[in-house]
């Protein structure tokens, strides 16, 4: 019985998004991989981390990546940036993003 309850708890916890987008993050866009759009100025780097495992259970990689992007968007304004671009793939729940100040679209 305990195993069933524990399994249900782990599965329900992995379905949740643990990182909400903050108002300042809503205006930050995520740039696709490749060249940075003309006029964007590099403002540095944002490194973010979320839980990629809950106990022995690996969380859904797409959900982890989504949460990492959300965290990067939330952090970008503190670097004076309005756009972020992943510098590489997520690894162990951590990811680096380049932060840019870009002209309005």
């Amino acid at each position: 019985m305990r195993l069933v309850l524990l399994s249900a708890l782990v599965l329900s916890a992995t379905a949740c998004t643990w990182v909400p987008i903050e108002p300042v993050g809503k205006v930050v866009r995520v740039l696709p991989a490749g060249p940075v759009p003309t006029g964007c100025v590099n403002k540095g780097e944002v490194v973010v981390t979320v839980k990629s495992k809950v106990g022995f259970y690996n969380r859904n990689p797409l959900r982890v990546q989504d949460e990492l992007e959300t965290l990067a968007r939330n952090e970008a304004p503190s670097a004076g940036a309005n756009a972020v671009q992943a510098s590489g793939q997520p690894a162990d729940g951590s990811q680096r993003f380049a932060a840019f100040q870009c002209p309005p679209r």
Side-chain angles (χ1 to χ4, degrees):
M1 184 65 167
R2 285 184 182 175
L3 181 60
V4 172
L5 290 175
L6 179 61
S7 297
L9 177 64
V10 168
L11 290 175
S12 66
T14 60
C16 299
T17 298
W18 295 349
V19 181
I21 186 81
E22 295 176 8
V24 295
K26 289 182 181 182
V27 297
V28 176
R29 60 186 168 145
V30 178
L31 302 174
V36 178
T38 304
C40 293
V41 177
N42 189 328
K43 292 294 189 172
E45 188 175 65
V46 176
V47 180
V48 292
T49 304
V50 297
K51 292 272 189 193
S52 61
K53 291 179 90 171
V54 177
F56 61 88
Y57 182 80
N58 288 324
R59 294 184 60 222
N60 180 321
L62 293 176
R63 188 166 311 279
V64 169
Q65 185 172 9
D66 183 55
E67 290 179 5
L68 290 167
E69 282 186 2
T70 300
L71 274 176
R73 290 175 66 194
N74 288 344
E75 291 294 321
S78 66
N82 66 358
V84 293
Q85 183 181 52
S87 300
Q89 294 297 315
D92 298 324
S94 184
Q95 190 170 18
R96 294 179 179 277
F97 289 82
F100 298 97
Q101 179 64 42
C102 297
R105 296 191 249 180

